[in-house]
Amino acid sequence: MGLKEAANKILCRWMKGTGPNDNIVVGSRIRLARNIAKVPFPATASEGQLAHVGDLVRMATVANGQSNMDYLAIAEMPRLERELLVEKHLISPQQTRDVKHKAVVLGRDELVSIMVNEEDHLRIQSICPGFQLESAWEQCNQVDDTLGDSLEYAFSPELGYLTACPTNVGTGLRASVMLHLPVLTMTQQMQRAIPAINKLGLAVRGLYGEGTEAVGNVYQISNQLTLGHSEQEIIQHLATVARQIIDQEESGRKQLLEVGKAQLEDRTYRSLGVLSQARVISSQEAMQLLSEVWLGVDLGLIKELDPKTLKSLVVLIRPAHLQKIIGKEMDTGERDGFRGDLVREYIRMGAKEKDSELKEGES
Amino acid sequence: MVCEECRKRPAVIHITKIVNNRKTEAHLCQECAQSRGELTFVSPTAFTFQNFLAGMLQHSQATPTGPSVETPTAYCPNCGFSYNQFKESGQLGCSVCYEHFQGQIKPLLKRIQGSVAHTGKIPSQHGVAIECRRQIEMLREQQRTAISQEKYEDAAKLRDKIRALEKELQETKERDGR
């Protein structure tokens, strides 16, 4: 199997897909925290109770005719497969630790996932490519409705959905957008924007949630409050703020192109130069360089590549994806070597494809 | 810069102290700062969410606002979780804990969420009755406004709507045997 096929097989659907503003918005995500009434939350529950929750969720999903989903016990999954799901943002890093009785119900299209026995009994999640919070909400809401018909949720008319942590009580909703903001980062405007965004009740974090850095200029912005506002209001608020950040990044890109086109072109081509020649490269360095090349492609400075080549690479170079493509487990040093090979080969292929597309267009 | 204490390891902790308008500076390595007790104010867990929460809980107990702040009954009757466990972990034991410790939890929710009134989605199983109550609440509010503006015809219409909903609510309760 060639590299292209292997990569295509492993990339998940929302990452391959397209959506509005997907030159900046990597993805939109909705998560709902739900618990079963009276059964102790996972941190307090006994083994028997955790197993019972697993059975209830299995019955409400897979056994209830949701045949487009699979119930997967985390403990039975090889380590690499778990890591792969984390890199695809389908489960949290927390879900891969202390795995007994933890599970994930995974939609075959990999757009919807339900984490079982994480911090709450259920964490229902839906993810869409580009700026599509509404579609993600509709998807998530639908799964929640179906589950709510057969599960008795912990709910109080006054406080809403009850969760293990008081910070999720009410709607149990966490809406987030992943934004690629190279120019706002480069011009150090993100440093000023983050406190302002925080003041609006939104959190700014790195790619993989709590406590992670904004690697490769990708930021996650999400609501902090879950009680007192409806789901629609929370999503609207996030969308309004995200829209402004997107506009700022767009206008920043235009301005930078006007005042320093030559420098920007040089910078993005240097990054492409390193990526097309490097033999050993860390995940961090590759992310940073890919971010700059992606910017160059988006601004039409680099014409020999398509945005989709860069967007795919950003995912494929992550440790679990890389090991899955090569087909074996590797240590960090080994990985950095294979990462160099993968990036070079993928860029070469991408350029060739684009070239033949252009030639076809001419003839 | 090397540590001024051991003069071997690099200084990574830089301390500026101003005591009685006298400024002193110290440049230390991690180990020496630790042994001199200079690091006690930066405990690695000082700024975790749980610690903030615990601090808030202790604080809210120190300022009594009514009978609800009495020492909470020690254990949740459903899961046996204690209030002290909540203070330590920042998480609750089960859904019944919210009811059992509500005297402590509600003021806390008000502070961290800014609200104690859910206005979002309602699960289908609880749906009809809650939606009914919510609508009645909304109509009552409109009725009050109408009366205060002396729009008595509108108020009468609203009153009829409220009565109809109350009847519906009663019927739902009877049907569900609640």
Side-chain angles (χ1 to χ4, degrees):
Chain A
M1 188 163 49
L3 172 61
K4 194 86 195 171
E5 290 80 44
N8 232 324
K9 215 174 140 197
I10 185 179
L11 278 171
C12 77
R13 187 163 144 204
W14 76 265
M15 284 167 167
K16 279 191 280 189
T18 55
N21 295 95
D22 61 3
N23 62 330
I24 291 176
V25 189
V26 181
S28 308
R29 181 156 54 149
I30 299 286
R31 181 221 77 190
L32 293 169
R34 298 288 185 256
N35 288 282
I36 314 285
K38 297 199 175 120
V39 179
F41 300 135
T44 331
S46 68
E47 295 229 350
Q49 286 163 330
L50 290 173
H52 177 58
V53 171
D55 290 341
L56 286 176
V57 177
R58 194 198 305 259
M59 299 232 282
T61 53
V62 185
N64 193 24
Q66 300 243 356
S67 51
N68 55 343
M69 298 189 111
D70 293 305
Y71 187 98
L72 308 164
I74 304 284
E76 288 165 19
M77 234 182 246
R79 199 187 55 82
L80 191 58
E81 294 298 321
R82 297 177 198 169
E83 298 296 326
L84 206 56
L85 289 181
V86 175
E87 290 181 5
K88 290 176 176 181
H89 296 272
L90 293 169
I91 64 173
S92 63
Q94 203 187 329
Q95 188 72 344
T96 65
R97 294 188 280 270
D98 305 322
V99 293
K100 209 166 177 194
H101 301 298
K102 283 183 178 169
V104 58
V105 187
L106 204 58
R108 300 254 162 89
D109 55 9
E110 296 191 306
L111 297 175
V112 171
S113 62
I114 306 166
M115 280 192 276
V116 183
N117 289 326
E118 205 231 30
E119 187 180 293
D120 294 297
H121 293 145
L122 293 105
R123 290 268 173 110
I124 309 166
Q125 182 199 274
S126 163
I127 195 159
C128 285
F131 197 26
Q132 304 194 72
L133 282 167
E134 280 298 328
S135 322
W137 160 247
E138 275 162 32
Q139 249 174 44
C140 207
N141 192 26
Q142 207 181 351
V143 177
D144 181 47
D145 281 344
T146 314
L147 288 171
D149 284 339
S150 46
L151 298 173
E152 198 196 331
Y153 282 150
F155 181 83
S156 122
E158 197 185 352
L159 296 178
Y161 293 92
L162 303 174
T163 53
C165 187
T167 50
N168 292 315
V169 161
T171 55
L173 171 77
R174 191 78 67 219
S176 67
V177 283
M178 279 177 262
L179 304 177
H180 177 233
L181 306 171
V183 169
L184 291 184
T185 310
M186 207 183 279
T187 54
Q188 284 166 16
Q189 289 190 71
M190 270 319 274
Q191 285 176 8
R192 280 190 296 155
I194 290 171
I197 299 167
N198 290 340
K199 276 187 193 155
L200 295 165
L202 301 173
V204 185
R205 291 176 297 189
L207 193 53
Y208 288 102
E210 234 150 304
T212 59
E213 260 179 275
V215 185
N217 304 323
V218 176
Y219 300 81
Q220 248 191 87
I221 300 177
S222 59
N223 64 304
Q224 281 177 307
L225 300 183
T226 53
L227 183 61
H229 298 279
S230 71
E231 289 82 359
Q232 294 297 336
E233 288 168 335
I234 293 170
I235 292 166
Q236 256 324 307
H237 178 58
L238 173 66
T240 312
V241 175
R243 166 61 59 197
Q244 293 176 60
I245 302 169
I246 297 165
D247 289 347
Q248 286 297 321
E249 170 73 22
E250 292 267 22
S251 76
R253 288 183 185 189
K254 277 201 199 96
Q255 279 174 28
L256 206 57
L257 209 52
E258 273 166 29
V259 298
K261 187 179 174 191
Q263 284 89 337
L264 198 60
E265 196 172 14
D266 177 67
R267 182 165 170 170
T268 55
Y269 263 108
R270 277 171 189 267
S271 299
L272 179 59
V274 174
L275 286 174
S276 6
Q277 293 300 327
R279 262 51 183 173
V280 176
I281 193 163
S282 72
S283 170
Q284 189 117 359
E285 187 187 359
M287 292 285 275
Q288 189 56 40
L289 295 170
L290 284 169
S291 162
E292 298 201 352
V293 176
W294 184 11
L295 175 68
V297 170
D298 184 56
L299 291 176
L301 296 169
I302 295 177
K303 293 189 181 66
E304 53 265 50
L305 289 172
D306 262 338
K308 68 168 192 280
T309 306
L310 281 308
K311 281 167 78 179
S312 302
L313 263 179
V314 166
V315 183
L316 293 172
I317 57 156
R318 294 177 201 171
H321 275 83
L322 188 68
Q323 293 174 74
K324 183 81 180 171
I325 289 182
I326 308 295
K328 62 168 186 173
E329 294 206 15
M330 295 177 285
D331 62 29
T332 317
E334 228 179 331
R335 281 206 299 266
D336 289 351
F338 275 106
R339 185 175 293 113
D341 296 346
L342 174 84
V343 172
R344 285 201 317 276
E345 180 60 17
Y346 211 80
I347 285 181
R348 197 186 55 77
M349 270 170 21
K352 206 170 135 193
E353 227 168 79
K354 178 97 195 217
D355 191 45
S356 61
E357 264 172 41
L358 286 177
K359 276 183 188 141
E360 255 172 55
E362 277 163 21
S363 61
Chain B
M1 189 185 290
V2 295
C3 170
E4 57 187 41
E5 191 89 5
C6 62
R7 301 198 176 279
K8 279 182 215 141
R9 291 177 289 259
V12 290
I13 313 266
H14 309 278
I15 301 163
T16 307
K17 280 187 192 171
I18 300 173
V19 182
N20 296 332
N21 284 330
R22 269 197 56 212
K23 186 170 152 190
T24 54
E25 281 182 23
H27 307 279
L28 305 165
C29 66
Q30 182 88 27
E31 284 88 329
C32 293
Q34 196 96 49
S35 62
R36 267 173 54 165
E38 298 283 12
L39 279 180
T40 45
F41 62 99
V42 279
S43 139
T45 59
F47 293 124
T48 61
F49 169 72
Q50 275 72 16
N51 269 316
F52 271 119
L53 196 63
M56 287 168 80
L57 288 163
Q58 269 142 20
H59 184 68
S60 64
Q61 271 191 320
T63 51
T65 53
S68 64
V69 196
E70 278 165 22
T71 320
T73 329
Y75 299 99
C76 166
N78 182 55
C79 70
F81 205 69
S82 76
Y83 185 65
N84 276 337
Q85 272 174 286
F86 171 50
K87 284 209 304 198
E88 276 159 26
S89 69
Q91 294 196 353
L92 286 139
C94 71
S95 52
V96 181
C97 289
Y98 276 94
E99 212 178 303
H100 187 69
F101 301 121
Q102 60 172 315
Q104 289 69 44
I105 287 168
K106 276 197 192 149
L108 176 78
L109 280 175
K110 180 92 194 159
R111 290 169 71 175
I112 57 179
Q113 298 266 9
S115 164
V116 283
H118 177 59
T119 56
K121 189 177 174 179
I122 298 161
S124 55
Q125 289 187 354
H126 297 248
V128 188
I130 294 169
E131 193 49 49
C132 240
R133 268 188 221 121
R134 214 181 255 180
Q135 265 184 3
I136 293 172
E137 221 22 73
M138 204 181 73
L139 291 171
R140 283 215 180 103
E141 184 62 42
Q142 286 175 10
Q143 191 188 20
R144 276 192 287 272
T145 320
I147 293 172
S148 72
Q149 293 170 347
E150 301 185 7
K151 292 179 182 164
Y152 297 113
E153 254 179 64
D154 292 353
K157 276 183 204 152
L158 288 163
R159 181 202 56 210
D160 293 345
K161 275 191 198 164
I162 293 168
R163 282 197 187 147
L165 276 172
E166 278 173 340
K167 200 172 155 216
E168 199 183 311
L169 183 64
Q170 199 56 38
E171 279 165 7
T172 320
K173 270 189 195 162
E174 277 160 20
R175 198 177 52 233
D176 295 358
R178 277 187 256 182

